[in-house]
Amino acid sequence: MQSSDRQAEAPGRGPRVLVVGGGIAGLGAAQRLCCHPAFPHLRVLEATARAGGRIRSERSFGGVVEVGAHWIHGPSQGNPVFQLAAKYGLLGEKALSEENQLIETGGHVGLPSVSYASSGGSVSPELVAEMARLFYSLIDQTREFLHAAETPAPSVGEYLKKEIRQHMAGWTEEEETKRLKLAILNNLFNVECCVSGTHSMDLVALAPFGEYTVLPGLDCTFPGGYQGLTDRIMASLPKDVMVFNKPVKTIHWDGCFEEASAPGETFPVLVECEDGGCFPAHHVVVTVPLGFLKERLDTFFEPPLPTEKAEAIRKIGFGTNNKIFLEFEEPFWQPDCQHIQVVWRDTSPLEDAAPKLQDAWFKKLVGFWVLPSFGRASQALCGFIAGLESEFMETLSDEDVLLSLTQVLRRVTGNPRLPAPRSVLRSRWHSAPYTRGSYSYVAVGSSGDDLDLLAQPLPADGRGAQLQVLFAGEATHRTFYSTTHGALLSGWREADRLIALWDSQAQRPEPGSELGSAPPVPGSRGGWPHPFL
C-alpha cells in the first residue's frame, strides 16, 4: 500500500504496532504488515542511523565489501531471501541458473585453491582433500543423532575428536605427516567455528545439530551488495515508518498505559527509549539480536520475562565471527585463486593449547577468500576469524592488525619481502552495542525447544490483551537459525500472527450487527472492533 493510501485512512483506525530493530527480520515484518489494511499505524524503531542490522555493505576498495552477511546460503526456490533477491533483480546470471540452484553442498565449505603452511610454502592439495573428506564425513555423521535416545558425546567438538582419534589409529605415515594432517583438521575445526558462530565446537550441542536445515544451491553473493536487498524492502515502506537513532531502553508490557492524544484509550505496552521518548502500543515485535537480549535481559523488559523464556535466552549460544579485509597494490595470488587456506603446523584439534591471545590470536584465522574484481584484477582478500580470538582482534588498532597479518602472509608464503597490504577494513560485531556478536547456535545444555520458546509471544498464558510482545530474528527460527533467510521468515511469521489475530477479530460479528447498524464497540476506533476488551 502506498503512503498516500495510508494517509487517507481514518486517523484512529487500526492497532498501533511497533517493530523494535530494523534488520531483515524487522523490515520483513513491517513490509508484510504494511500490505494489510488493518495496520496503518506502524513504526520501526532502529537504534542506529541505518537499516539492515547484520546485513551491512560498504563501498570500499573500488567496489562493495560485505561487513556483515556474505552469502545467500542455499540459493534455491525454498529460500525466501533468494526469491526476493531474484524478484528485485539483485543477482547474477550464474546464481539464478537452475544448475546452481540444484547443487547439494551439504552445507560444507569447498576446498581451498591453495593451502599455505606456517613453515612456508604450500601443502599438498591431495592431503588437504583427504582431510576435508574425513572431516566432512564426520560432520555429516553428527547430524544423525537428532532423534537418538542418547548421544556418544555432549558436543559436536567432542564427538569429532573422539572419531578422529579412532581414525588416527589407522594412519601409517611418518610422524611429520601425521602432525600436518592434524594441523589441517584444526583449520577445518576453525572453519566450522566460523560457520556456527562459536568459539569452539565443544560448545555446540551434538543432539540438536542435525535440526539445522541446509537448503540446496551453491552459496552466492550479491554483485551490488547484500544491503541492496534490505534497501529495497525499506524503500517499499511508507516514508514515515522508519525511525532511526531511536534505541529502546525498556519495553513495559502487561500494563494499562494512556496517551494524551488518545483520551479514554489504553494500551497494554509502552516502549521507553533511551532518549526519554515513550511510544504506547497494542503490539510490539522485538527483533533485536540475541547478543543484545543476553546483555540487557535484566532491564529490557518490565515486568521481567517469564523464567522459562529468560532461561532460553541464557542457554542458546551466540558467538562472534568477524571479517578482516586486506587491500593490496598488486595481488600475490594466482588469477584463478578463490580461497587461500592457512595451516598452522603446531596446532591440533586434540590439544587444548591456550597461548596468550595477544601472541596467537591470528592462528584462529582460517584463511582468506579473494574478493570479486571490480573491472580489474582483484586486489583484496577477506579473512574470517571466530571466537574469543575474534573478539580480541576487535580491541587492536588497525595498525596492529595490519602488522600481524603482514607477518603471517610473509611467513606462510615464504616471501619475507611480500609487500604489506595498503589498507585494512574489519568488522567488529562483538563491540557493536546493539548486536554484541554475530549469530546464534544451539549450545550444549540447550535444544531447538529453546528457540521455539524464545519465539513465543507474551503474555504466554493467554490472559489479558493478546500478542502484546512478539519475538522475531534468526535466533527464533528452529531450523534456519544463524541465517538471513531464517531471520526474514521469522519476521513474516510474527506479521502473519498479528494479521491472523486481526482478521479473526474483523470477522467476529459486533453486538447487534444482525439488526443492521451496530454502534462501534466502546473503545474501538472508526468502528474497528477492539481486541482488548
Side-chain angles (χ1 to χ4, degrees), residues 17 43 56 77 216 228 364:
V17 180
R43 291 288 182 275
R56 182 177 162 193
Q77 293 309 307
K364 193 72 169 284

Side-chain angles (χ1 to χ4, degrees), residues 127 130-131 171 173 177-185:
L127 200 61
E130 180 191 340
M131 288 302 95
W171 291 356
E173 303 91 344
T177 304
K178 289 180 183 177
R179 283 199 297 272
L180 183 55
K181 280 184 166 185
L182 287 171
I184 296 167
L185 287 169

Side-chain angles (χ1 to χ4, degrees), residues 36 72 119 138 173 179 192 204 243 265 309 342 414 460 479:
H36 194 281
I72 299 180
S119 54
L138 296 179
E173 303 91 344
R179 283 199 297 272
E192 204 61 30
V204 180
V243 184
E265 185 168 9
K309 189 183 279 283
V342 177
T479 59

Side-chain angles (χ1 to χ4, degrees), residues 5 24 119 134 145 179 215 239 245 247 256 269 276 364 376 382 396 414 449 479 492 519-520:
D5 296 330
I24 196 168
S119 54
L134 169 60
F145 296 104
R179 283 199 297 272
L215 295 172
K239 66 180 189 311
N245 298 308
C256 188
V269 191
K364 193 72 169 284
R376 52 181 166 72
C382 173
L396 300 174
D449 290 346
T479 59
W492 287 354

Side-chain angles (χ1 to χ4, degrees), residues 426-447:
R426 57 201 162 120
S427 60
R428 294 183 180 89
W429 289 110
H430 184 256
S431 305
Y434 303 112
T435 312
R436 307 300 283 144
S438 298
Y439 38 82
S440 63
Y441 62 93
V442 184
V444 172
S446 67
S447 73

Side-chain angles (χ1 to χ4, degrees), residues 7-25:
Q7 289 167 354
E9 294 272 356
R13 179 177 290 180
R16 289 200 202 173
V17 180
L18 290 172
V19 176
V20 180
I24 196 168

Side-chain angles (χ1 to χ4, degrees), residues 2-74:
Q2 296 301 309
S3 180
S4 58
D5 296 330
R6 285 163 54 89
Q7 289 167 354
E9 294 272 356
R13 179 177 290 180
R16 289 200 202 173
V17 180
L18 290 172
V19 176
V20 180
I24 196 168
L27 292 172
Q31 187 181 49
R32 197 94 148 191
L33 291 170
C34 282
C35 290
H36 194 281
F39 300 96
H41 303 295
L42 172 73
R43 291 288 182 275
V44 178
L45 304 182
E46 166 53 43
T48 71
R50 52 171 288 278
R54 285 166 277 176
I55 294 174
R56 182 177 162 193
S57 310
E58 288 191 8
R59 295 266 162 202
S60 195
F61 306 158
V64 178
V65 296
E66 302 292 9
V67 177
H70 201 101
W71 289 279
I72 299 180
H73 294 297

Side-chain angles (χ1 to χ4, degrees), residues 365-388:
L365 192 83
V366 300
F368 299 91
W369 272 255
V370 178
L371 292 187
S373 58
F374 304 110
R376 52 181 166 72
S378 178
Q379 295 169 231
L381 299 176
C382 173
F384 286 81
I385 182 169
L388 296 177

